[in-house]
Amino acid sequence: MKVRFNKFWLVFLTAIDLVFVFSSLQIAYLLTFKTNEIEDYYLSFFLFYSIGWVVSSFFSHIARLQWDTDLKEILLMNLYGFIMHIIAVIGIVSLYDNLAFSYSFIFFAAVLTLLFTSSVRIVFFFVLENFSHKAQEHFNVVVYGVNEDMRNLRQYFIKNQDLGYKFSGIYGQADRAPDSMEFLGNFEALKSKLDSGAIDMIYITAPIETHSMKEWHEFSENCDRNCIHLGMSTKMSVLLDRKVKEVVNFGGVDIVLKRPLPLSNYSNVLAKRIFDIVFSSFVIFFIFPFILPIIALIIKLESPGPIFFKQLRPGKKNKLFKCYKFRTMRVNNVGALQASKNDPRITRFGAIMRKTSIDELPQFFNVLFGDMSVVGPRPNMVIQLEEFGKTIRSYSERHMVTPGITGYAQINGFRGETRADGAMEKRVQYDVEYMENWTLGLDVKIIFLTVYNMIRGEKNAY
C-alpha cells in the first residue's frame, strides 16, 4: 500500500522550489547582463516564470508523490514538469516581439532551474530515506488475536516497514496459535512485556482471555505508563472507557485508537522534526552568538559558578536527557526543589531571565540534538515523574511525544510552579489536548503566543 504525501509536504516542496527557481532567475540575469539591477519587465517575467513552474509541477504529478517513490521516478517527474514549463515559457515569450527577452538569459535560467530543483529532490529523497531507517527503531508493533484481522495487520506492517513499522510478533490464545515463530504467547505473556521497552504499539483484534474488565483497565493503564500506543479493531471498541475520536485503516482493518495521536504518524513526525531543525538552527546561528557573550558576562559578574545549568529530565518514553538552561540561581545543593515566588536562590539577573524566558534559549541545542522539540509538553523534573505518575492518571501519557521548550499548557497560564491544588492536573490536561490535536499550525500559534506573553510578562514566570 502506498501512502501519499500530506498537504504539508506539497506546500513545503513547492515553497523550496520557488526559492530556488527565483534564485535561478537572479543568477541567470547576473550571468547574462553582469548586473543586479533588474529591469521592470524582467521582474514581471520572474513572476510569470515562477508561477508557471508551480503549475507545471502539479501537472507533472508532484501531488502524486508517494513515500515509497524511488529516486529515478522522482527525477523523471521533475524532468517532465521542467520540459512542460520551458515549452510554455518559450511559446508565450515568442508572442511578445516588442519585449526583447534575452534567449541567453532564458537558457541560463532553464539550466539552473533543472539543476537546482533536481538537487532539492535528491536531498529530499535521502533525508526521507535516512529518517525512515531511524523511524524503524521506534515503532515496534505487536498484535493480540489470532484471526483474519491479525493476518491483514501483520501483512500491512511487514509490507510498510519504510513507514517506520517493525512487526514484532503475535499474542493470543495458545490453542489458536499459528504455526509461526512470530507467536509470542498469551495475554499474560503480553502483560509481562509491557515494562520491557520492546513494544511501541499494540493492536487488539480478539477478546482477551479473561472477561475481567478490571484486568483490562489495568492493562490499558499500564500501556499508558509505558508510553505504548493502544488500538483495537472496531468490534473490540466496547473496551474503551471514552468516546471514540478516531478510526484508522491498516490493511483493510478499521482500528479504533484509545487516544488519537497525530505525532504517531510518520509524515507528521518528519514535518515537526524538520520544522524544529530549521527553527532551532535560526535561533542558534542568528540570535545566540549576539546575546551569549553579554549574558555570560552578567552571570559571571553577579555570582560565581557556571554559565549553564544542566539537569536530567525525562523525555519521550521517559528516556532521561540533559536539559540545558542559563544559570539563574546561585550555586546550591537543592537543585531538585522547584523554584517558587521570591525564591532566595534566584539572582537579580536570573529573575529577569526567568521572567522573559531567556534562560530557556540553550534548550534550542536540545532541540537540534533531538531530545526536545520547539513545542511540546514541558519536561518536568525526575522527582515529579515519580510523584505525579502515581497520582495523575494521564500524567505518563504526556511522555508519548517529545517534550518542548514551550507548550499549550504554558500559553494557557500553566507555567512555572505547580504546587497549587489542581495546577499539575490542568497542565497535564492541556498537554494531552495538544497531543490529540497537534498540527504544524498549532505549533506556530503557540510560538507566537509564547513570544507575545514574553513581551507582555507573565505572573507565573519566576
Side-chain angles (χ1 to χ4, degrees):
M1 177 181 176
K2 292 188 174 184
V3 180
R4 187 170 295 182
F5 286 131
N6 63 20
K7 291 180 181 179
F8 168 80
W9 293 115
L10 298 179
V11 173
F12 177 80
L13 195 55
T14 301
I16 295 295
D17 270 357
L18 284 174
V19 170
F20 280 97
V21 167
F22 207 80
S23 298
S24 300
L25 292 165
Q26 289 180 303
I27 295 171
Y29 195 90
L30 180 62
L31 290 173
T32 305
F33 301 108
K34 314 301 181 185
T35 178
N36 281 321
E37 296 180 5
I38 304 171
E39 296 184 37
D40 289 344
Y41 71 91
Y42 267 99
L43 285 175
S44 300
F45 178 84
F46 278 25
L47 181 62
F48 152 73
Y49 187 96
S50 301
I51 294 174
W53 175 260
V54 174
V55 173
S56 64
S57 292
F58 277 87
F59 273 107
S60 64
H61 306 309
I62 187 175
R64 296 184 185 178
L65 281 174
Q66 317 285 346
W67 286 115
D68 58 352
T69 307
D70 61 33
L71 181 59
K72 180 181 178 181
E73 189 176 349
I74 290 173
L75 292 178
L76 283 174
M77 284 183 188
N78 191 56
L79 179 61
Y80 176 63
F82 167 78
I83 293 171
M84 288 177 59
H85 176 57
I86 292 303
I87 291 174
V89 167
I90 293 176
I92 292 175
V93 166
S94 63
L95 297 176
Y96 293 89
D97 296 330
N98 57 318
L99 295 178
F101 287 112
S102 166
Y103 280 92
S104 295
F105 161 73
I106 295 175
F107 171 78
F108 284 132
V111 171
L112 290 169
T113 296
L114 181 61
L115 177 64
F116 285 160
T117 56
S118 297
S119 298
V120 166
R121 279 149 182 75
I122 291 170
V123 171
F124 193 60
F125 171 81
F126 283 109
V127 168
L128 290 177
E129 188 178 58
N130 180 61
F131 194 89
S132 176
H133 290 315
K134 290 183 178 179
Q136 290 177 26
E137 302 171 7
H138 301 290
F139 292 91
N140 296 308
V141 182
V142 300
V143 177
Y144 179 87
V146 183
N147 52 25
E148 190 62 28
D149 283 348
M150 175 276 291
R151 294 182 183 90
N152 290 335
L153 287 174
R154 174 184 177 275
Q155 183 179 9
Y156 173 82
F157 291 126
I158 290 175
K159 187 178 179 181
N160 288 280
Q161 292 185 46
D162 58 316
L163 300 184
Y165 297 116
K166 180 181 179 182
F167 186 75
S168 299
I170 303 159
Y171 291 87
Q173 292 178 299
D175 59 345
R176 298 183 181 180
D179 184 17
S180 169
M181 293 296 291
E182 294 171 338
F183 185 75
L184 303 174
N186 59 13
F187 187 62
E188 293 300 322
L190 176 58
K191 287 198 298 182
S192 68
K193 272 289 186 179
L194 297 184
D195 298 327
S196 68
I199 299 175
D200 298 303
M201 299 176 175
I202 299 175
Y203 296 104
I204 310 291
T205 66
I208 58 176
E209 294 147 37
T210 173
H211 296 286
S212 167
M213 290 302 291
K214 178 182 178 182
E215 186 172 5
W216 163 254
H217 288 306
E218 288 175 354
F219 172 80
S220 176
E221 290 176 6
N222 202 7
C223 287
D224 291 339
R225 282 193 294 273
N226 288 283
C227 302
I228 296 173
H229 301 288
L230 184 61
M232 57 207 70
S233 60
T234 49
K235 61 191 175 189
M236 298 299 302
S237 61
V238 293
L239 293 173
L240 288 176
D241 57 354
R242 55 180 288 165
K243 184 179 179 181
V244 173
K245 285 190 176 181
E246 183 174 355
V247 177
V248 296
N249 187 279
F250 294 132
V253 182
D254 286 332
I255 294 291
V256 179
L257 301 180
K258 179 186 176 184
R259 186 175 297 286
L261 289 173
L263 288 174
S264 65
N265 177 280
Y266 178 83
S267 62
N268 290 339
V269 173
L270 184 54
K272 187 172 176 65
R273 182 63 185 140
I274 290 177
F275 177 82
D276 283 343
I277 291 172
V278 172
F279 194 94
S280 59
S281 297
F282 174 81
V283 173
I284 289 169
F285 291 111
F286 294 100
I287 297 178
F288 212 80
F290 298 101
I291 67 169
L292 175 60
I294 300 170
I295 291 176
L297 179 62
I298 297 174
I299 291 174
K300 280 293 188 182
L301 289 176
E302 189 168 24
S303 68
I307 296 169
F308 299 102
F309 170 76
K310 58 184 177 181
Q311 188 180 58
L312 285 177
R313 298 285 178 97
K316 186 177 182 180
K317 300 182 181 178
N318 299 324
K319 182 180 179 181
L320 298 181
F321 70 96
K322 288 181 180 178
C323 183
Y324 294 95
K325 301 176 73 172
F326 284 122
R327 181 172 61 85
T328 59
M329 296 183 177
R330 296 175 181 85
V331 176
N332 60 82
N333 296 318
V334 287
L337 180 65
Q338 193 176 20
S340 57
K341 194 170 185 178
N342 301 319
D343 195 315
R345 297 173 296 166
I346 300 175
T347 63
R348 286 177 297 176
F349 184 60
I352 295 172
M353 287 197 290
R354 296 175 80 94
K355 191 74 175 176
T356 57
S357 298
I358 291 175
D359 62 317
E360 312 282 0
L361 283 175
Q363 287 169 27
F364 282 102
F365 286 98
N366 286 120
V367 174
L368 203 59
F369 299 154
D371 296 320
M372 293 181 67
S373 178
V374 177
V375 180
R378 282 291 298 159
N380 293 329
M381 293 185 288
V382 175
I383 192 172
Q384 291 175 308
L385 175 64
E386 298 168 355
E387 175 187 354
F388 295 115
K390 298 175 183 177
T391 58
I392 302 176
R393 181 179 177 185
S394 300
Y395 185 83
S396 298
E397 296 174 35
R398 66 197 298 277
H399 293 277
M400 288 184 174
V401 299
T402 306
I405 296 176
T406 185
Y408 194 52
Q410 283 64 46
I411 64 166
N412 282 284
F414 291 91
R415 62 162 292 180
E417 194 174 13
T418 55
R419 290 176 184 156
D421 291 341
M424 182 55 80
E425 285 86 346
K426 289 297 292 183
R427 178 180 288 188
V428 171
Q429 179 183 327
Y430 279 114
D431 287 339
V432 171
E433 186 177 340
Y434 165 79
M435 290 162 48
E436 292 184 349
N437 298 281
W438 177 88
T439 63
L440 202 61
L442 179 59
D443 274 5
V444 173
K445 177 183 176 181
I446 290 172
I447 290 170
F448 274 111
L449 289 175
T450 299
V451 174
Y452 172 74
N453 289 340
M454 285 169 57
I455 297 170
R456 185 185 61 175
E458 295 183 84
K459 63 178 182 179
N460 293 329
Y462 48 79

